[in-house]
Coordinates of all heavy atoms in Angstrom, one line a residue:
F1 N 2.1 -10.3 -16.0 CA 1.6 -10.7 -14.7 C 2.7 -10.5 -13.6 O 2.3 -10.0 -12.5 CB 1.2 -12.2 -14.7 CG -0.1 -12.5 -15.4 CD1 -0.3 -13.8 -16.0 CD2 -1.1 -11.6 -15.5 CE1 -1.5 -14.1 -16.6 CE2 -2.3 -11.9 -16.1 CZ -2.5 -13.1 -16.7
L2 N 3.9 -10.9 -13.9 CA 5.0 -10.7 -12.9 C 5.2 -9.3 -12.6 O 5.5 -8.9 -11.5 CB 6.2 -11.4 -13.4 CG 7.3 -11.6 -12.4 CD1 6.8 -12.4 -11.2 CD2 8.5 -12.3 -13.0
A3 N 5.2 -8.4 -13.6 CA 5.4 -7.0 -13.4 C 4.3 -6.4 -12.6 O 4.5 -5.6 -11.7 CB 5.5 -6.3 -14.8
G4 N 3.1 -6.8 -12.9 CA 1.9 -6.4 -12.1 C 2.0 -6.8 -10.6 O 1.7 -6.1 -9.7
S5 N 2.5 -8.0 -10.4 CA 2.8 -8.5 -9.1 C 3.8 -7.7 -8.3 O 3.6 -7.4 -7.1 CB 3.2 -10.0 -9.1 OG 3.5 -10.4 -7.8
C6 N 4.9 -7.3 -9.0 CA 5.9 -6.5 -8.4 C 5.4 -5.1 -8.0 O 5.7 -4.6 -7.0 CB 7.1 -6.4 -9.3 SG 8.0 -7.9 -9.6
I7 N 4.6 -4.5 -8.9 CA 4.0 -3.2 -8.7 C 3.1 -3.2 -7.5 O 3.1 -2.3 -6.6 CB 3.4 -2.6 -9.9 CG1 4.4 -2.3 -11.0 CG2 2.5 -1.4 -9.6 CD1 3.9 -2.0 -12.4
S8 N 2.2 -4.3 -7.4 CA 1.3 -4.3 -6.3 C 2.0 -4.6 -5.0 O 1.6 -4.1 -3.9 CB 0.2 -5.4 -6.6 OG 0.8 -6.7 -6.6
A9 N 3.1 -5.4 -5.0 CA 3.9 -5.6 -3.8 C 4.6 -4.3 -3.3 O 4.6 -4.0 -2.1 CB 5.0 -6.6 -4.1
I10 N 5.1 -3.5 -4.3 CA 5.6 -2.2 -3.9 C 4.6 -1.3 -3.3 O 4.8 -0.6 -2.3 CB 6.3 -1.5 -5.1 CG1 7.5 -2.3 -5.5 CG2 6.6 -0.1 -4.9 CD1 8.1 -2.0 -6.9
A11 N 3.4 -1.3 -3.9 CA 2.3 -0.5 -3.3 C 1.9 -1.0 -1.9 O 1.6 -0.1 -1.0 CB 1.1 -0.5 -4.3
A12 N 1.9 -2.3 -1.7 CA 1.5 -2.8 -0.4 C 2.6 -2.4 0.7 O 2.2 -1.9 1.8 CB 1.4 -4.3 -0.4
V13 N 3.9 -2.5 0.3 CA 4.9 -2.1 1.3 C 4.9 -0.6 1.5 O 5.0 -0.2 2.7 CB 6.3 -2.5 0.7 CG1 7.4 -1.9 1.6 CG2 6.4 -4.1 0.7
G14 N 4.6 0.2 0.5 CA 4.5 1.6 0.7 C 3.3 2.0 1.6 O 3.4 2.9 2.4
S15 N 2.2 1.3 1.4 CA 1.1 1.5 2.3 C 1.3 1.2 3.7 O 0.9 1.9 4.6 CB -0.1 0.7 1.8 OG -0.5 1.1 0.5
I16 N 2.1 0.1 3.9 CA 2.4 -0.3 5.3 C 3.3 0.8 5.9 O 3.1 1.2 7.1 CB 3.2 -1.6 5.3 CG1 2.2 -2.8 5.0 CG2 3.8 -1.9 6.7 CD1 2.8 -4.1 4.7
F17 N 4.3 1.3 5.2 CA 5.1 2.4 5.7 C 4.3 3.7 6.0 O 4.5 4.3 7.0 CB 6.3 2.7 4.8 CG 7.4 1.7 4.9 CD1 7.8 1.0 3.8 CD2 8.1 1.6 6.1 CE1 8.9 0.1 3.9 CE2 9.1 0.7 6.2 CZ 9.5 0.0 5.1
E18 N 3.4 4.0 5.1 CA 2.5 5.1 5.3 C 1.7 5.0 6.6 O 1.5 5.9 7.3 CB 1.6 5.4 4.1 CG 2.3 6.0 2.9 CD 2.6 7.5 3.1 OE1 1.8 8.2 3.6 OE2 3.8 7.9 2.8
L19 N 1.1 3.8 6.7 CA 0.2 3.6 7.9 C 1.0 3.6 9.2 O 0.5 4.1 10.2 CB -0.6 2.3 7.7 CG -1.7 2.3 6.7 CD1 -2.2 1.0 6.4 CD2 -2.8 3.3 7.1
T20 N 2.2 3.1 9.2 CA 3.0 3.0 10.4 C 3.6 4.4 10.7 O 4.1 4.6 11.9 CB 4.1 1.9 10.4 OG1 4.9 2.2 9.3 CG2 3.4 0.6 10.3
S21 N 3.7 5.3 9.8 CA 4.3 6.6 10.0 C 3.4 7.4 10.9 O 3.8 8.4 11.6 CB 4.5 7.3 8.7 OG 3.3 7.8 8.2
G22 N 2.1 7.1 10.9 CA 1.1 7.8 11.8 C 0.4 8.9 11.0 O -0.7 9.3 11.5
H23 N 0.9 9.4 9.9 CA 0.2 10.4 9.2 C 0.2 10.1 7.7 O 1.0 10.7 6.9 CB 0.9 11.8 9.4 CG 0.9 12.2 10.8 ND1 -0.2 12.6 11.5 CD2 1.9 12.2 11.7 CE1 0.1 12.9 12.7 NE2 1.4 12.7 12.9
P24 N -0.6 9.2 7.2 CA -0.6 8.8 5.8 C -1.1 10.0 4.9 O -2.0 10.7 5.3 CB -1.6 7.7 5.7 CG -2.1 7.4 7.0 CD -1.5 8.4 8.0
E25 N -0.4 10.2 3.8 CA -0.7 11.4 3.0 C -2.1 11.3 2.4 O -2.8 12.3 2.2 CB 0.3 11.5 1.8 CG 1.7 11.9 2.3 CD 2.6 12.2 1.1 OE1 2.1 12.4 0.0 OE2 3.8 12.1 1.4
L26 N -2.6 10.1 2.1 CA -3.9 9.9 1.5 C -5.0 9.7 2.5 O -6.2 9.5 2.2 CB -3.9 8.8 0.4 CG -3.0 9.0 -0.8 CD1 -3.0 7.7 -1.6 CD2 -3.4 10.2 -1.6
G27 N -4.6 9.6 3.7 CA -5.6 9.3 4.8 C -5.5 7.8 5.1 O -5.1 7.0 4.3
G28 N -5.9 7.5 6.3 CA -5.9 6.1 6.8 C -6.8 5.2 6.0 O -6.5 4.0 5.7
L29 N -8.0 5.7 5.7 CA -9.0 4.8 5.0 C -8.5 4.5 3.6 O -8.6 3.3 3.2 CB -10.3 5.5 5.0 CG -11.5 4.7 4.5 CD1 -11.7 3.5 5.4 CD2 -12.7 5.6 4.4
I30 N -8.1 5.4 2.9 CA -7.7 5.2 1.5 C -6.4 4.3 1.5 O -6.3 3.4 0.7 CB -7.5 6.5 0.7 CG1 -8.8 7.2 0.6 CG2 -6.8 6.2 -0.7 CD1 -8.7 8.5 -0.1
T31 N -5.4 4.6 2.3 CA -4.2 3.9 2.4 C -4.5 2.4 2.8 O -3.9 1.5 2.3 CB -3.2 4.5 3.3 OG1 -3.0 5.9 2.9 CG2 -1.9 3.8 3.2
G32 N -5.4 2.3 3.8 CA -5.8 0.9 4.2 C -6.5 0.2 3.1 O -6.3 -1.1 2.9
G33 N -7.3 0.9 2.3 CA -7.9 0.2 1.1 C -6.9 -0.2 0.1 O -7.1 -1.3 -0.5
I34 N -5.9 0.6 -0.2 CA -4.9 0.2 -1.1 C -4.2 -1.0 -0.6 O -3.9 -1.9 -1.4 CB -3.9 1.4 -1.3 CG1 -4.6 2.6 -2.0 CG2 -2.7 1.0 -2.1 CD1 -3.8 3.9 -2.1
L35 N -3.8 -1.0 0.7 CA -3.1 -2.2 1.2 C -4.0 -3.4 1.1 O -3.5 -4.5 0.7 CB -2.8 -1.9 2.7 CG -2.1 -3.0 3.5 CD1 -0.8 -3.4 2.8 CD2 -1.9 -2.7 4.9
T36 N -5.3 -3.3 1.5 CA -6.2 -4.4 1.4 C -6.4 -5.0 0.0 O -6.5 -6.2 -0.2 CB -7.6 -4.0 2.0 OG1 -7.4 -3.5 3.3 CG2 -8.5 -5.2 2.0
A37 N -6.3 -4.1 -1.0 CA -6.5 -4.5 -2.4 C -5.2 -5.1 -3.0 O -5.3 -6.0 -3.8 CB -7.0 -3.4 -3.2
T38 N -4.1 -4.5 -2.6 CA -2.9 -4.9 -3.3 C -2.3 -6.3 -2.8 O -1.6 -6.9 -3.6 CB -1.8 -3.8 -3.2 OG1 -1.6 -3.5 -1.8 CG2 -2.2 -2.6 -4.0
I39 N -2.5 -6.6 -1.6 CA -2.0 -7.9 -1.1 C -2.6 -9.1 -1.9 O -1.9 -9.9 -2.5 CB -2.1 -8.1 0.4 CG1 -1.2 -7.1 1.1 CG2 -1.9 -9.5 0.8 CD1 -1.3 -7.0 2.6
P40 N -3.9 -9.3 -2.0 CA -4.4 -10.4 -2.7 C -4.2 -10.3 -4.2 O -4.0 -11.3 -4.9 CB -5.9 -10.4 -2.4 CG -6.2 -9.2 -1.7 CD -5.0 -8.5 -1.3

C-alpha cells in the first residue's frame, strides 16, 4: 500500500509539472485525468 502511495504521488507531481510546462506530452486531458485519479 505504501509503495503504491509513493508511486501515485510521483505520478501526481509529474502531472503537475507537465501541465504547468504548457505542452504536456500526453495532452492536457489525459495528463489532467492522471492527476485527478492519482491524488485520491
Side-chain angles (χ1 to χ4, degrees):
F1 285 152
L2 192 58
S5 174
C6 291
I7 291 169
S8 65
I10 292 168
V13 170
S15 296
I16 291 170
F17 280 120
E18 283 286 316
L19 289 170
T20 57
S21 74
H23 301 288
E25 288 186 25
L26 299 175
L29 186 63
I30 294 175
T31 306
I34 293 170
L35 177 62
T36 303
T38 55
I39 290 175

